Amino acid sequence: MTTKSLVSISDYKVDDYNRILQLASEFEANSYQNLLHGRVIATLFFEPSTRTRLSFESAINRLRGRVIGFADIGTTSSTKGESLHDSIRMVASYCDLIVMRHPLEGAAKYASEISPVPIINAGDGANQHPTQTLLDMYSILKTQGTLHNLKITLIGDLKYGRTVHSLIMAMMNYNPTFYFVSPPELKLPNEYKQTLAKHNIAYSEHADMQEVLDISDIVYMTRVQKERFSDPMEYEKTKNLYVLKNDMLTHTKENMKILHPLPRVNEISMCVDASPKAYYFEQAKNGVYARQAIICHLLGINI
Amino acid sequence: MGDIQGRHLIVSALKNGTVIDHIPSESLFKVISILKLETIHSQITFGTNLESKKLGSKAIIKISDKFFEQDDINKIAIIVPEAKLNIIKNYEVVEKMIVSLPDSIEGITKCFNPQCITNHEKVVPKFTVIEKSPVSLLCRYCEKITDQEHFILI
Ligand SMILES: [Zn+2]
């Protein structure tokens, strides 16, 4: 298939990122337009994710597109044993673009090979969630005025967190310095560190976030889940090291912003919400603009 | 045909075709399957459990009137990197080929990730070869790495 899809963050290069981010800022300035009038977009959520689905549907509705689809596997023919192949072929004949989330890794890539309409991957298991990465990048650009030469601290589950991995790969293009803060069990996998080393990107690893908070431009928090620990005692011992509290922000930089892909559990204390450095709710809002940008980019709609 | 004489006879009897030599005995049937030899209608002779100084026990395949493209031959590289090919024309070895791993492979091994779509739908697994020795394959679907010790041949 030659149809353009967005399956993996590595499908895009710097030019594409810049184009999407530019479009997103135009949508932020003017989010309600007629651009998708007469278009039908399918949102196929083979696995539920209300947050992501609503963000996409808001993006489409604001541009006057129509949405068809399903919100979870219980309402689909998958439960009747229909293959993903057949679901995609069928739905593709009803719509102009498919947004899909699927529990299996590589599902969106496969769909993009058989679909005559573009596919947007809204999450394929633990693998990729590229629209999250683009909205993260947009949030970084918006709050810092640039993507270049930033000090980015990533905190929490760096081993399994796909948003972390994709963000590292994308931001690598802008000469960042990374600080990785995690319990020893949840360190960034070696393959990513090797890639960073190969590209001469500076990074360091830390067990305590206090070591790097004050020098960071961006602090990207993620959940540390108890289930990830083989030893529950180890979790109890370390969990408080990965909770961000208001008093820890006292000496942080003026421009520093805290991001989180949401939903949070307890890793950002509620007392942080009122801080001007807390940016995670705006970040979620940026998701709508980023998704409007991606949809129009893939459909070749000029604004 | 388990002795040296038998093997000698097989090789020398080939007028035109390809001899695949230095296959570890235990990999013979995998090679047959990867090269889809069951679809070839010309005469094919197999010998296995032949004595080999290098491999201990080796197998050999002789295929009449069949000349492989390098791309096809490379498909067996992930399981028998040591295999050697002799191209025979009019009873003479006119060319020797060695196998070398291609940059990408399709439909030879399964993806090691149980959560990969290729293990749930009828999708031919496709990999980018990121490391040749030992072999390490990047799945083009789930983006996970399958290494040599986790190969499950299809
Ligand atoms: Zn895979």
Side-chain angles (χ1 to χ4, degrees):
Chain A
M1 284 292 153
T2 51
T3 307
K4 282 206 318 188
S5 290
L6 176 56
V7 168
S8 168
I9 196 66
S10 59
D11 293 347
Y12 279 1
K13 301 286 170 275
V14 173
D15 285 352
D16 303 298
Y17 298 145
N18 295 346
R19 161 104 180 118
I20 299 286
L21 300 178
Q22 171 60 32
L23 278 176
S25 76
E26 288 172 36
F27 281 118
E28 175 159 20
N30 186 9
S31 190
Y32 294 84
Q33 302 190 43
N34 252 327
L35 296 169
L36 293 179
H37 183 72
R39 309 255 188 166
V40 177
I41 293 177
T43 55
L44 309 186
F45 279 64
F46 295 92
E47 159 186 273
S49 172
T50 309
R51 208 171 291 271
T52 303
R53 185 173 56 84
L54 292 181
S55 175
F56 270 107
E57 295 188 358
S58 175
I60 298 160
N61 280 307
R62 287 170 186 223
L63 300 178
R64 298 249 185 131
R66 304 300 289 255
V67 178
I68 59 169
F70 49 81
D72 72 81
I73 198 157
T75 61
T76 78
S77 49
S78 291
T79 47
K80 295 179 197 150
E82 186 179 56
S83 65
L84 175 63
H85 175 273
D86 290 4
S87 301
I88 294 295
R89 289 300 297 270
M90 178 198 66
V91 173
S93 60
Y94 303 155
C95 66
D96 301 299
L97 181 146
I98 294 173
V99 175
M100 67 176 277
R101 187 184 190 100
H102 198 282
L104 292 174
E105 298 165 28
K109 172 75 176 172
Y110 177 52
S112 75
E113 290 177 348
I114 56 180
S115 170
V117 303
I119 300 283
I120 295 179
N121 183 6
D124 59 330
N127 186 32
Q128 285 277 339
H129 190 11
T131 64
Q132 175 73 45
T133 310
L134 283 154
L135 81 87
D136 291 343
M137 293 171 81
Y138 183 62
S139 300
I140 294 171
L141 176 64
K142 219 179 112 179
T143 58
Q144 306 300 318
T146 178
L147 291 175
H148 293 273
N149 308 317
L150 295 172
K151 293 184 163 40
I152 301 173
T153 296
L154 298 136
I155 302 176
D157 180 354
L158 308 186
K159 184 173 182 183
Y160 301 101
R162 66 179 172 193
T163 56
V164 164
H165 301 161
S166 299
L167 189 60
I168 292 170
M169 298 319 274
M171 289 305 295
M172 220 173 65
N173 296 291
Y174 302 92
N175 189 40
T177 302
F178 287 118
Y179 305 115
F180 302 126
V181 182
S182 70
E185 288 86 345
L186 299 176
K187 277 186 166 183
L188 189 72
N190 274 330
E191 52 190 285
Y192 292 99
K193 287 185 243 174
Q194 284 160 6
T195 306
L196 292 174
K198 212 163 76 188
H199 290 84
N200 289 317
I201 305 291
Y203 71 88
S204 54
E205 297 183 281
H206 307 266
D208 183 349
M209 67 168 96
Q210 301 274 25
E211 293 170 15
V212 288
L213 280 181
D214 295 352
I215 52 172
S216 304
D217 298 307
I218 290 290
V219 171
Y220 196 98
M221 298 291 299
T222 62
R223 286 193 297 286
V224 173
Q225 289 159 295
K226 199 175 179 173
E227 311 84 82
R228 300 292 193 201
F229 285 79
S230 48
D231 179 358
M233 284 299 292
E234 209 51 45
Y235 171 75
E236 295 303 325
K237 257 180 9 205
T238 54
K239 66 175 181 188
N240 288 328
L241 279 176
Y242 306 96
V243 176
L244 190 62
K245 300 195 179 75
N246 214 14
D247 58 8
M248 299 160 88
L249 304 177
T250 317
H251 301 291
T252 54
K253 289 167 81 170
E254 207 57 45
N255 63 304
M256 189 274 260
K257 290 287 185 257
I258 303 157
L259 305 187
H260 189 300
L262 300 181
R264 73 172 149 181
V265 183
N266 65 342
E267 57 280 358
I268 303 178
S269 164
M270 298 277 277
C271 65
V272 175
D273 294 1
S275 163
K277 292 171 182 173
Y279 194 74
Y280 25 94
F281 294 115
E282 286 93 332
Q283 181 188 359
K285 191 172 157 193
N286 289 338
V288 173
Y289 313 132
R291 289 176 175 123
Q292 289 183 310
I294 293 161
I295 290 167
C296 289
H297 181 67
L298 289 177
L299 289 174
I301 294 171
N302 292 312
I303 72 165
Chain B
M1 59 176 101
D3 59 29
I4 301 292
Q5 272 184 336
R7 182 193 50 157
H8 184 72
L9 184 69
I10 293 160
V11 177
S12 58
L14 185 61
K15 185 179 181 201
N16 290 300
T18 305
V19 176
I20 307 174
D21 201 354
H22 297 285
I23 302 168
S25 292
E26 68 275 13
S27 302
L28 173 65
F29 291 97
K30 290 174 188 165
V31 172
I32 292 169
S33 138
I34 291 172
L35 292 177
K36 297 193 167 58
L37 297 187
E38 72 276 13
T39 64
I40 294 175
H41 297 295
S42 59
Q43 191 179 27
I44 305 177
T45 319
F46 309 104
T48 188
N49 299 329
L50 307 170
E51 213 174 287
S52 161
K53 279 208 180 80
K54 229 166 94 183
L55 299 168
S57 162
K58 71 167 184 176
I60 190 165
I61 307 173
K62 189 197 72 166
I63 309 140
S64 295
D65 304 314
K66 172 75 187 174
F67 304 97
F68 294 95
E69 298 293 329
Q70 184 74 48
D71 283 358
D72 290 328
I73 280 309
N74 289 345
K75 289 179 187 164
I76 65 174
I78 72 163
I79 55 158
V80 287
E82 58 279 86
K84 300 224 170 14
L85 279 81
N86 290 322
I87 315 304
I88 313 285
K89 285 190 178 152
N90 204 19
Y91 301 106
E92 303 261 328
V93 176
V94 294
E95 194 188 338
K96 289 178 183 289
M97 290 168 88
I98 52 165
V99 300
S100 94
L101 199 62
D103 294 331
S104 64
I105 64 163
E106 276 185 29
I108 294 174
T109 176
K110 284 185 167 192
C111 178
F112 149 76
N113 175 9
Q115 286 299 105
C116 179
I117 187 74
T118 59
N119 290 317
H120 295 263
E121 290 253 336
K122 286 195 185 104
V123 190
V124 178
K126 299 182 189 69
F127 299 91
T128 304
V129 177
I130 52 171
E131 208 67 66
K132 296 199 173 184
S133 176
V135 181
S136 174
L137 306 172
L138 178 70
C139 176
R140 281 205 237 149
Y141 292 94
C142 72
E143 306 183 26
K144 297 285 177 299
I145 291 166
T146 299
D147 48 30
Q148 203 152 354
E149 58 193 285
H150 294 110
F151 287 163
I152 301 170
L153 296 178
I154 295 169

